[in-house]
Amino acid sequence: MDTLIPYDSLAPDTLETILDDIVSRDGTDYGDYDLSVAQKREQALRSLRNGEAVLLFDTESETIKMVPKDALSNYDLV
């Protein structure tokens, strides 16, 4: 089961820490050019703010992931 986490309910420093973790995970691909963690974090935050992506807490792995909003139907939400 996954739980939707409203990004704007998180303290700014908590959100920054979560986004830093998400963008620095293995397998995160940003194309043919390198971006700093700060740049990747800003891109992720922009996606959350304009409603393109959401944060989900995965109860099985006890991790937070960011997924495209249009992919929510693929998840079993609490």
Side-chain angles (χ1 to χ4, degrees):
M1 297 294 245
D2 296 302
T3 303
L4 189 63
I5 302 171
Y7 80 92
D8 54 356
S9 70
L10 300 170
D13 57 329
T14 302
L15 179 59
E16 184 175 314
T17 300
I18 290 169
L19 292 178
D20 285 351
D21 176 62
I22 290 170
V23 302
S24 63
R25 291 180 186 162
D26 288 341
T28 307
D29 184 17
Y30 288 87
D32 294 334
Y33 51 94
D34 290 327
L35 297 174
S36 69
V37 170
Q39 290 170 312
K40 293 175 187 178
R41 182 186 337 109
E42 283 303 312
Q43 281 185 349
L45 183 57
R46 196 169 23 258
S47 293
L48 291 169
R49 284 185 175 149
N50 60 20
E52 296 172 356
V54 295
L55 295 176
L56 294 178
F57 177 71
D58 181 337
T59 56
E60 288 185 27
S61 65
E62 297 185 349
T63 59
I64 297 175
K65 54 191 169 189
M66 190 167 93
V67 299
K69 189 173 184 176
D70 59 1
L72 280 178
S73 62
N74 298 330
Y75 293 90
D76 189 15
L77 298 176
V78 176

